Amino acid sequence: MCGIVAYTGPQDCAPILVEGLRRLEYRGYDSAGLAVHTGRGVEIVRAVGKLTNLDQALRKTPLAGTTGIGHTRWATHGRPSEANAHPHVAGAVAVVHNGIIENHVDLRRELQGKGVRFSSDTDTEIFAHLIHAEMQSGIKELDVAVRRALARVRGAYAIAVVHGEQPGTVVVAKQDSPLVLGLGEGEMFAASDIPALLAHTRDVILLADGDMAKITTAGAAITRIADGAPVSRDKKRIDWSPTQAEKGGYKHFMLKEIHEQPRAIEDTLRGRIDLDKADVVGAEIGLTEEIAKATGRVYFVACGTSAHAAMAGRYWVEQLARLPSTVEIGSEVRYRDPVFLPTDLVVAVSQSGETADTLAAVKAAKAQGARVLAVANVLDSAIPRAVDGALYTHAGPEIGVASTKCFTTQLAALLLLAVYLGRRRGTLNEAEARRILDAAWQAPAKMRDVLARADDIRTIARRHMRAKDMLFLGRGTGFPIALEGALKLKEISYIHAEGYAAGEMKHGPIALIDEEMPVVVICPKDAHYEKTFSNMQEAKAREGQIIAVATEGDDEVRRLCADRVDRGSIPPPSGRGSMLVAADVIEIPPVENEVVPLLSVIPLQLLSYHMADLKGTDVDQPRNLAKTVTVE
Ligand code: F6R
């Protein structure tokens, strides 16, 4: 998730671009750069690290001109470095890009075969060479060259392109990554997100997937990428304050990030699933066939939310790859005398890639000769740097301290890992792999359906916001989701909550249940439905207030939960939503077992969020917590 900005107009553009990038720094900040039409062609300045470094570089090498593009990077392909920072250049072409090109390996190979020399490890540089090649072949118009180049590319992109011989023109295009045009008086802007534009204009056009635009001081000519046909898009007036705009109009970053999950999952799966072969692309997930075949045990290490994702990963590895598997908490591993084997594949799951306890466990594993794979969200962070291979989640920067989109992207990445291991080891046949991968690829659309019910969940949150304690129960992969639901609630609402395996309830926690105790039961129609349902009946028989996460149309769950709401002091909501929540039942669409956790965690994230927000706690920065824990 990077940020891009573009400008053409009468003003000196470098300060406008840098200020725009500053407003997008929340999208990524490992390097930044500008390309400006200076009259001598397009010149670039780039710097590693935060924007202040780019500011300093521009003080040394000022770029004067009135048309330019800028970029702030969150690395996905190629470590953070000046060479990998955008803009990327080929001949007179300069490009900035946000997104992921799926067929980058093939295109790079093809271009190298034609004698092209790459100066970075990025997928983005491919755009620059493809566009340059089109211009070299005699195409005169930059937008035509961009359109022809895009026809070669598969994946997600928002790009902005300038050319040394076409002053006053910026060409932008978008597919599956955001891009907004800003309409000024005799000047035009483009950016990944609205905050970058608000200092200059409140009139914007949100480009649709498949749109491109040639922007000049005269305005924007919007066409379809596919065939060049002109399209018209409505202008919108934005009334948000700059702070609201940074949060995409949401009240908190956490809520914005919850809603970003479908996009984050798509980006994490993109280019890694080969549906034709019903397989996962090993090179994209940091593993090889040899390692997969030589692995005798998968040993997950992680902390907190990442440990919950690892627990779901263990279920999948056992089920799909038939490998013994264990999950250990980083802080425990480091102070035990753990036994690692040379045939262990240690999988260190850490969104920050910096957690001290997980890193220490990784070092212990390496010292004993185990092979280690990192599953991390931050490219080139300490854990991926210390290990043999990395499987990056593409959640983009997460600002809310309580992890949401990093968690679900970890789940998606670990499901890919399990499928890859299963296919290499012959324990997962083609039809089964296709079923699972297909379900994973469809999951973001179903997640959007769950998110559309967010307002109904606030009504349930209001009913329970005064609870002192809550229980979360689940079976199978529902168990780590129960743990995660309880952790989210504790973190941001400060309500005491415990997650339990549903079958464990009768071994103790059932003593806690009375009419004061809300019990959240994750009871989708999965392999464990009947058993979990009877646990729910047990809780109900002790007068517990059940909040169920169930599959759409499950009338039995609804009947079981119904009478409590009838007795509640707040009437059930009216209209369409009342069908969904009248009985404290939050429905998720029916999906294959393996992707249920991606959906069932969303109601729990939203429940925690709304309970915390209603209580008025600091949702994005809860007390006593830090986003990255680099101490013991
Ligand atoms: C909770 C949360 C933490 C982290 C834990 C490990 O919302 O985010 O529990 O999961 O501190 O951090 P990482 O994943 O960076 O290793």
PDB file of all heavy atoms in Angstrom, residues 303-306 349-353 355 358 401-403 410 487-488 491 627 629, ligand 1:
ATOM      1  N   CYS A 303       3.367 -14.173  18.905  1.00  0.00           N
ATOM      2  CA  CYS A 303       2.811 -13.597  20.136  1.00  0.00           C
ATOM      3  C   CYS A 303       1.450 -12.968  19.835  1.00  0.00           C
ATOM      4  O   CYS A 303       1.222 -12.493  18.715  1.00  0.00           O
ATOM      5  CB  CYS A 303       3.712 -12.482  20.663  1.00  0.00           C
ATOM      6  SG  CYS A 303       5.382 -13.009  21.018  1.00  0.00           S
ATOM      7  N   GLY A 304       0.596 -12.927  20.834  1.00  0.00           N
ATOM      8  CA  GLY A 304      -0.660 -12.177  20.771  1.00  0.00           C
ATOM      9  C   GLY A 304      -1.538 -12.590  19.603  1.00  0.00           C
ATOM     10  O   GLY A 304      -1.755 -13.779  19.323  1.00  0.00           O
ATOM     11  N   THR A 305      -2.049 -11.586  18.912  1.00  0.00           N
ATOM     12  CA  THR A 305      -2.926 -11.822  17.765  1.00  0.00           C
ATOM     13  C   THR A 305      -2.254 -12.726  16.734  1.00  0.00           C
ATOM     14  O   THR A 305      -2.901 -13.607  16.145  1.00  0.00           O
ATOM     15  CB  THR A 305      -3.301 -10.451  17.149  1.00  0.00           C
ATOM     16  OG1 THR A 305      -4.258  -9.841  18.023  1.00  0.00           O
ATOM     17  CG2 THR A 305      -3.900 -10.577  15.775  1.00  0.00           C
ATOM     18  N   SER A 306      -0.974 -12.522  16.509  1.00  0.00           N
ATOM     19  CA  SER A 306      -0.269 -13.352  15.510  1.00  0.00           C
ATOM     20  C   SER A 306      -0.262 -14.818  15.942  1.00  0.00           C
ATOM     21  O   SER A 306      -0.290 -15.717  15.093  1.00  0.00           O
ATOM     22  CB  SER A 306       1.169 -12.856  15.327  1.00  0.00           C
ATOM     23  OG  SER A 306       1.157 -11.547  14.824  1.00  0.00           O
ATOM     24  N   VAL A 349       5.416 -15.927  12.925  1.00  0.00           N
ATOM     25  CA  VAL A 349       4.337 -15.050  12.446  1.00  0.00           C
ATOM     26  C   VAL A 349       4.398 -13.751  13.250  1.00  0.00           C
ATOM     27  O   VAL A 349       4.295 -13.772  14.475  1.00  0.00           O
ATOM     28  CB  VAL A 349       2.959 -15.730  12.620  1.00  0.00           C
ATOM     29  CG1 VAL A 349       1.860 -14.878  11.982  1.00  0.00           C
ATOM     30  CG2 VAL A 349       2.958 -17.129  12.012  1.00  0.00           C
ATOM     31  N   SER A 350       4.570 -12.632  12.549  1.00  0.00           N
ATOM     32  CA  SER A 350       4.690 -11.347  13.241  1.00  0.00           C
ATOM     33  C   SER A 350       4.340 -10.225  12.282  1.00  0.00           C
ATOM     34  O   SER A 350       5.026 -10.058  11.278  1.00  0.00           O
ATOM     35  CB  SER A 350       6.133 -11.156  13.734  1.00  0.00           C
ATOM     36  OG  SER A 350       6.321  -9.839  14.188  1.00  0.00           O
ATOM     37  N   GLN A 351       3.276  -9.483  12.597  1.00  0.00           N
ATOM     38  CA  GLN A 351       2.923  -8.434  11.633  1.00  0.00           C
ATOM     39  C   GLN A 351       4.015  -7.368  11.550  1.00  0.00           C
ATOM     40  O   GLN A 351       4.373  -6.946  10.457  1.00  0.00           O
ATOM     41  CB  GLN A 351       1.534  -7.842  11.925  1.00  0.00           C
ATOM     42  CG  GLN A 351       1.264  -7.402  13.349  1.00  0.00           C
ATOM     43  CD  GLN A 351       1.467  -5.921  13.569  1.00  0.00           C
ATOM     44  OE1 GLN A 351       1.646  -5.185  12.614  1.00  0.00           O
ATOM     45  NE2 GLN A 351       1.456  -5.503  14.826  1.00  0.00           N
ATOM     46  N   SER A 352       4.583  -6.971  12.672  1.00  0.00           N
ATOM     47  CA  SER A 352       5.616  -5.925  12.636  1.00  0.00           C
ATOM     48  C   SER A 352       6.947  -6.466  12.155  1.00  0.00           C
ATOM     49  O   SER A 352       7.784  -5.727  11.643  1.00  0.00           O
ATOM     50  CB  SER A 352       5.812  -5.338  14.034  1.00  0.00           C
ATOM     51  OG  SER A 352       6.319  -6.350  14.909  1.00  0.00           O
ATOM     52  N   GLY A 353       7.157  -7.771  12.352  1.00  0.00           N
ATOM     53  CA  GLY A 353       8.454  -8.365  12.022  1.00  0.00           C
ATOM     54  C   GLY A 353       9.543  -7.955  12.999  1.00  0.00           C
ATOM     55  O   GLY A 353      10.734  -8.182  12.771  1.00  0.00           O
ATOM     56  N   THR A 355       8.969  -8.111  16.741  1.00  0.00           N
ATOM     57  CA  THR A 355       8.667  -8.495  18.122  1.00  0.00           C
ATOM     58  C   THR A 355       9.845  -9.243  18.755  1.00  0.00           C
ATOM     59  O   THR A 355      10.277 -10.288  18.245  1.00  0.00           O
ATOM     60  CB  THR A 355       7.384  -9.341  18.158  1.00  0.00           C
ATOM     61  OG1 THR A 355       6.348  -8.554  17.600  1.00  0.00           O
ATOM     62  CG2 THR A 355       7.006  -9.759  19.555  1.00  0.00           C
ATOM     63  N   THR A 358       9.489 -13.048  19.643  1.00  0.00           N
ATOM     64  CA  THR A 358       9.433 -13.930  18.468  1.00  0.00           C
ATOM     65  C   THR A 358      10.810 -14.010  17.824  1.00  0.00           C
ATOM     66  O   THR A 358      11.268 -15.091  17.412  1.00  0.00           O
ATOM     67  CB  THR A 358       8.367 -13.405  17.472  1.00  0.00           C
ATOM     68  OG1 THR A 358       7.150 -13.216  18.182  1.00  0.00           O
ATOM     69  CG2 THR A 358       8.143 -14.375  16.329  1.00  0.00           C
ATOM     70  N   VAL A 401      -3.720   0.323  17.053  1.00  0.00           N
ATOM     71  CA  VAL A 401      -2.829  -0.577  17.798  1.00  0.00           C
ATOM     72  C   VAL A 401      -3.398  -1.997  17.835  1.00  0.00           C
ATOM     73  O   VAL A 401      -2.662  -2.977  17.715  1.00  0.00           O
ATOM     74  CB  VAL A 401      -2.565  -0.014  19.216  1.00  0.00           C
ATOM     75  CG1 VAL A 401      -1.956  -1.066  20.127  1.00  0.00           C
ATOM     76  CG2 VAL A 401      -1.620   1.175  19.116  1.00  0.00           C
ATOM     77  N   ALA A 402      -4.710  -2.119  17.954  1.00  0.00           N
ATOM     78  CA  ALA A 402      -5.316  -3.458  17.966  1.00  0.00           C
ATOM     79  C   ALA A 402      -5.361  -3.979  16.525  1.00  0.00           C
ATOM     80  O   ALA A 402      -5.979  -3.375  15.652  1.00  0.00           O
ATOM     81  CB  ALA A 402      -6.715  -3.385  18.551  1.00  0.00           C
ATOM     82  N   SER A 403      -4.705  -5.089  16.312  1.00  0.00           N
ATOM     83  CA  SER A 403      -4.539  -5.581  14.942  1.00  0.00           C
ATOM     84  C   SER A 403      -5.843  -6.160  14.391  1.00  0.00           C
ATOM     85  O   SER A 403      -6.538  -6.910  15.068  1.00  0.00           O
ATOM     86  CB  SER A 403      -3.455  -6.661  14.957  1.00  0.00           C
ATOM     87  OG  SER A 403      -3.206  -7.072  13.642  1.00  0.00           O
ATOM     88  N   GLN A 410      -2.799 -12.510   7.759  1.00  0.00           N
ATOM     89  CA  GLN A 410      -1.987 -13.647   8.241  1.00  0.00           C
ATOM     90  C   GLN A 410      -2.740 -14.955   8.006  1.00  0.00           C
ATOM     91  O   GLN A 410      -2.168 -15.950   7.568  1.00  0.00           O
ATOM     92  CB  GLN A 410      -1.671 -13.496   9.728  1.00  0.00           C
ATOM     93  CG  GLN A 410      -0.626 -12.430  10.029  1.00  0.00           C
ATOM     94  CD  GLN A 410      -0.505 -12.127  11.515  1.00  0.00           C
ATOM     95  OE1 GLN A 410      -1.384 -12.473  12.323  1.00  0.00           O
ATOM     96  NE2 GLN A 410       0.586 -11.481  11.893  1.00  0.00           N
ATOM     97  N   LEU A 487      -9.431 -11.149  22.969  1.00  0.00           N
ATOM     98  CA  LEU A 487      -8.276 -10.239  23.061  1.00  0.00           C
ATOM     99  C   LEU A 487      -8.652  -8.843  22.553  1.00  0.00           C
ATOM    100  O   LEU A 487      -8.312  -7.831  23.176  1.00  0.00           O
ATOM    101  CB  LEU A 487      -7.090 -10.800  22.253  1.00  0.00           C
ATOM    102  CG  LEU A 487      -5.813  -9.957  22.278  1.00  0.00           C
ATOM    103  CD1 LEU A 487      -5.260  -9.815  23.687  1.00  0.00           C
ATOM    104  CD2 LEU A 487      -4.744 -10.533  21.361  1.00  0.00           C
ATOM    105  N   LYS A 488      -9.365  -8.798  21.421  1.00  0.00           N
ATOM    106  CA  LYS A 488      -9.770  -7.478  20.879  1.00  0.00           C
ATOM    107  C   LYS A 488     -10.592  -6.716  21.912  1.00  0.00           C
ATOM    108  O   LYS A 488     -10.391  -5.532  22.125  1.00  0.00           O
ATOM    109  CB  LYS A 488     -10.603  -7.627  19.602  1.00  0.00           C
ATOM    110  CG  LYS A 488      -9.900  -7.984  18.338  1.00  0.00           C
ATOM    111  CD  LYS A 488      -8.969  -6.941  17.769  1.00  0.00           C
ATOM    112  CE  LYS A 488      -7.602  -7.092  18.346  1.00  0.00           C
ATOM    113  NZ  LYS A 488      -6.612  -7.836  17.686  1.00  0.00           N
ATOM    114  N   GLU A 491      -8.452  -5.470  24.813  1.00  0.00           N
ATOM    115  CA  GLU A 491      -7.513  -4.415  24.422  1.00  0.00           C
ATOM    116  C   GLU A 491      -8.147  -3.050  24.330  1.00  0.00           C
ATOM    117  O   GLU A 491      -7.572  -2.063  24.779  1.00  0.00           O
ATOM    118  CB  GLU A 491      -6.927  -4.723  23.033  1.00  0.00           C
ATOM    119  CG  GLU A 491      -5.840  -5.749  23.023  1.00  0.00           C
ATOM    120  CD  GLU A 491      -5.323  -5.937  21.613  1.00  0.00           C
ATOM    121  OE1 GLU A 491      -6.100  -6.339  20.719  1.00  0.00           O
ATOM    122  OE2 GLU A 491      -4.146  -5.671  21.396  1.00  0.00           O
ATOM    123  N   LYS A 627       2.289  -0.612  19.461  1.00  0.00           N
ATOM    124  CA  LYS A 627       2.069  -1.322  18.201  1.00  0.00           C
ATOM    125  C   LYS A 627       3.197  -2.325  17.941  1.00  0.00           C
ATOM    126  O   LYS A 627       2.971  -3.412  17.442  1.00  0.00           O
ATOM    127  CB  LYS A 627       1.983  -0.299  17.062  1.00  0.00           C
ATOM    128  CG  LYS A 627       1.600  -0.885  15.721  1.00  0.00           C
ATOM    129  CD  LYS A 627       0.126  -1.254  15.680  1.00  0.00           C
ATOM    130  CE  LYS A 627      -0.265  -1.992  14.433  1.00  0.00           C
ATOM    131  NZ  LYS A 627      -1.451  -2.821  14.612  1.00  0.00           N
ATOM    132  N   VAL A 629       6.430  -4.321  19.693  1.00  0.00           N
ATOM    133  CA  VAL A 629       6.946  -4.613  21.029  1.00  0.00           C
ATOM    134  C   VAL A 629       8.374  -5.151  20.898  1.00  0.00           C
ATOM    135  O   VAL A 629       8.597  -6.348  20.733  1.00  0.00           O
ATOM    136  CB  VAL A 629       6.036  -5.613  21.773  1.00  0.00           C
ATOM    137  CG1 VAL A 629       6.472  -5.766  23.215  1.00  0.00           C
ATOM    138  CG2 VAL A 629       4.585  -5.150  21.726  1.00  0.00           C
TER     139      VAL A 629
HETATM  140  C1  F6R B   1      -3.121  -7.296  19.342  1.00  0.00           C
HETATM  141  C2  F6R B   1      -1.802  -7.243  18.732  1.00  0.00           C
HETATM  142  C3  F6R B   1      -0.702  -7.904  19.449  1.00  0.00           C
HETATM  143  C4  F6R B   1       0.381  -8.378  18.490  1.00  0.00           C
HETATM  144  C5  F6R B   1       1.594  -8.898  19.265  1.00  0.00           C
HETATM  145  C6  F6R B   1       2.634  -9.444  18.337  1.00  0.00           C
HETATM  146  O1  F6R B   1      -4.084  -6.587  18.640  1.00  0.00           O
HETATM  147  O2  F6R B   1      -1.612  -6.640  17.704  1.00  0.00           O
HETATM  148  O3  F6R B   1      -1.153  -8.962  20.237  1.00  0.00           O
HETATM  149  O4  F6R B   1      -0.136  -9.380  17.681  1.00  0.00           O
HETATM  150  O5  F6R B   1       2.138  -7.854  20.022  1.00  0.00           O
HETATM  151  O6  F6R B   1       3.039  -8.478  17.424  1.00  0.00           O
HETATM  152  P1  F6R B   1       3.616  -8.880  16.026  1.00  0.00           P
HETATM  153  O7  F6R B   1       2.526  -9.501  15.238  1.00  0.00           O
HETATM  154  O8  F6R B   1       4.074  -7.587  15.427  1.00  0.00           O
HETATM  155  O9  F6R B   1       4.733  -9.837  16.264  1.00  0.00           O
END
